[in-house]
Amino acid sequence: MVDVLLGLQWGDEGKGKIVDYFAGKYDVIARFQGGPNAGHTLYVNGQKVVLRTIPSGVFHENTINLIGNGVVLDPVAFKKESEDISALGIDLTKNLFIAEKTHIIVPTHRALDKASEMAKGNDKIGSTLKGIGPAYMDKTGRNGLRVGDVMSADFEALYGKLKAKHLELLSHYDSSEFSDDIAAWEAEFFDAVKFLRTMNVVAGEYFINEKLKAGKKVLAEGAQGSMLDVDFGTYPFVTSSNTISAGVCNGLGIAPQWIKEVIGVTKAYCTRVGSGPFPTELHDATGEQLRAAGHEFGAVTGRPRRCGWIDLVALNYTCMLSGVTQLVMTKSDVLDEFDEVLACTAYEINGQQTKQLPFQLTGLDVKPVYETFPGWTDKTSTCKQFNELPNEMKSFVSSVEKYLAVPVKYVSNGPGRDQILEQ
């Protein structure tokens, strides 16, 4: 069967550590969507490692890892990431495979991303300018290049055709500044393409289904968060792919009946990077305290994250969309220093309370309705068992479970591999 592990908020929920924790229980870890803007942070032998495209199971010797066709892969970022992992003694040629139908990000995608975002002025969506949106646009526009094309003898001609299309699009912007960028990017791009050709490229859909039929256990790993889903997130401030569990089927090429558990990851509070609505965002000293205590800065971009209290309305929505069967609550120890902890249980819009997400959060005056919980003075990062947690924290966890009608099976109380408590 396939178990799915998803972020339930706006990303940065700590999925990388959780996949790493579970990886030893699975034969295959498969990444099913997203691009290299999503950084999964792990701590391996005390050393911080940020994964962007490569699945989080690569540090487990007997685990196979697959980059699925739903991902968009930047050969340059992939080469750098692979070199960083190899420097830690990991042989990726033994346990990493790439689906041949995975779309690739080319240099002019980055230029288009930058030009488009600059043209939006004050309406920027907060793109990381890594070419991910334009790559997905070419995918749906049936113009994209895929990893399988890289293996073709006429790849440079295929690339030249796509580049010409992109240069025509760039001519509609003030694009003179991009010519030097593109030339520099191309040099490293074609070097990275040579590296990509040395990797294990497979027919991903057959590869994963053969593993399933052989009785192998698969963990499907998502990137970004459910509230950034292109269909169901806070549109247009979303990513370019489906981040909910439905994306597993078309992102890997498996049928729905293979899916068993859906493991949702949520912080004990809430964060968001970039633009877009965020009902529980705190613009005060408490928000700053959350950011400092949680070290809330992007794993890839370094951007400071916007911080707020946990939003149970949004969490209930994403649990519903993905059919979440169990929850992992991360960064619970960050709340140790607060005298009280809040949770949003409803939205007040135009004087009316609702527990449903409206069609469009943008432009609405949304007032979060909070339930307040007493804080705890004990440091939870040293706890080794769930029962050792302060009663106040256990009460908070229990209230979250009751609201969502989904059990919190695990509580992460620190960044270390061993700092996770099973309930």
Side-chain angles (χ1 to χ4, degrees):
M1 300 298 289
V2 179
D3 291 342
V4 183
L5 192 136
L6 304 163
L8 295 178
Q9 298 166 305
W10 279 279
D12 310 308
E13 299 94 347
K15 296 179 294 297
K17 172 194 166 173
I18 304 306
V19 175
D20 182 58
Y21 175 82
F22 284 122
K25 302 176 183 178
Y26 294 88
D27 303 298
V28 182
I29 309 294
R31 169 85 177 270
F32 67 89
Q33 53 74 223
N37 60 335
H40 286 177
T41 302
L42 310 177
Y43 288 84
V44 182
N45 298 325
Q47 185 170 346
K48 182 179 178 180
V49 180
V50 179
L51 298 177
R52 296 163 176 80
T53 305
I54 295 173
S56 301
V58 289
F59 296 103
H60 293 260
E61 186 176 351
N62 297 318
T63 302
I64 291 171
N65 297 270
L66 174 68
I67 297 173
N69 58 276
V71 173
V72 288
L73 183 145
D74 180 342
V76 176
F78 174 75
K79 179 174 181 287
K80 175 66 168 62
E81 185 178 349
S82 299
E83 290 170 346
D84 290 346
I85 292 172
S86 296
L88 297 173
I90 304 299
D91 184 358
L92 293 178
T93 63
K94 292 183 177 178
N95 69 349
L96 179 64
F97 299 82
I98 307 171
E100 62 189 357
K101 291 185 172 68
T102 301
H103 280 249
I104 62 172
I105 298 170
V106 302
T108 41
H109 281 141
R110 293 167 66 182
L112 282 168
D113 204 353
K114 188 175 180 180
S116 174
E117 187 77 343
M118 288 171 61
K120 289 184 173 73
N122 293 331
D123 294 324
K124 289 181 175 66
I125 63 169
S127 169
T128 54
L129 308 180
K130 295 183 181 296
I132 293 164
Y136 274 113
M137 288 171 69
D138 272 337
K139 177 178 180 176
T140 56
R142 300 175 294 280
N143 298 300
L145 294 175
R146 301 181 288 180
V147 170
D149 293 317
V150 169
M151 307 301 168
S152 170
D154 61 348
F155 174 71
E156 290 199 24
L158 294 171
Y159 169 78
K161 183 179 177 181
L162 182 59
K163 177 183 175 181
K165 174 181 177 290
H166 290 168
L167 292 177
E168 168 61 25
L169 290 172
L170 283 166
S171 70
H172 297 281
Y173 298 96
D174 181 14
S175 58
S176 56
E177 65 179 282
F178 298 119
S179 56
D180 290 341
D181 285 344
I182 292 169
W185 292 337
E186 280 184 331
E188 57 182 3
F189 173 76
F190 282 107
D191 181 56
V193 163
K194 290 178 184 177
F195 175 79
L196 185 56
R197 288 173 178 147
T198 68
M199 303 305 293
N200 300 310
V201 176
V202 296
E205 62 275 36
Y206 286 106
F207 181 88
I208 195 78
N209 278 284
E210 285 167 3
K211 300 297 181 190
L212 288 168
K213 289 174 182 175
K216 303 297 184 183
K217 290 185 66 179
V218 176
L219 181 65
E221 174 189 19
Q224 289 96 20
S226 299
M227 290 298 291
L228 297 176
D229 185 272
V230 68
D231 282 295
F232 296 103
T234 48
Y235 192 88
F237 300 96
V238 292
T239 194
S240 303
S241 57
N242 287 112
T243 59
I244 61 175
S245 61
V248 173
C249 296
N250 55 18
L252 294 176
I254 61 169
Q257 65 260 34
W258 285 111
I259 295 177
K260 188 180 180 185
E261 297 288 332
V262 180
I263 306 161
V265 185
T266 173
K267 281 178 179 167
Y269 51 102
C270 202
T271 63
R272 180 167 192 166
V273 172
S275 307
F278 182 2
T280 64
E281 183 174 10
L282 297 169
H283 300 279
D284 56 12
T286 303
E288 290 293 336
Q289 188 179 359
L290 274 172
R291 184 178 298 112
H295 307 290
E296 294 296 353
F297 299 89
V300 173
T301 64
R303 290 188 294 182
R305 297 178 184 135
R306 301 155 62 190
C307 297
W309 296 118
I310 194 168
D311 185 340
L312 297 181
V313 177
L315 264 181
N316 189 58
Y317 174 70
T318 55
C319 285
M320 173 189 73
L321 290 173
S322 286
V324 173
T325 59
Q326 54 183 279
L327 291 163
V328 181
M329 181 180 286
T330 61
K331 290 203 162 184
S332 62
D333 55 304
V334 172
L335 300 182
D336 287 356
E337 58 184 78
F338 292 87
D339 294 330
E340 59 182 23
V341 174
L342 276 62
C344 172
T345 57
Y347 296 160
E348 184 179 308
I349 303 172
N350 297 326
Q352 299 292 318
Q353 283 195 19
T354 180
K355 292 186 178 182
Q356 292 189 4
L357 252 74
F359 164 68
Q360 190 88 333
L361 276 171
T362 309
L364 284 180
D365 181 17
V366 179
K367 294 183 175 65
V369 178
Y370 287 114
E371 182 175 349
T372 302
F373 299 86
W376 45 91
T377 55
D378 298 334
K379 292 295 181 185
T380 60
S381 58
T382 57
C383 295
K384 301 298 183 183
Q385 303 288 334
F386 183 86
N387 287 339
E388 296 175 17
L389 292 173
N391 288 332
E392 293 86 353
M393 179 185 272
K394 286 189 281 190
S395 177
F396 173 69
V397 170
S398 177
S399 294
V400 170
E401 288 182 315
K402 185 176 180 181
Y403 187 100
L404 301 174
V406 182
V408 176
K409 287 287 190 71
Y410 302 89
V411 173
S412 174
N413 61 331
R417 270 182 167 180
D418 60 337
Q419 289 180 294
I420 187 164
L421 314 175
E422 184 174 355
Q423 184 178 190

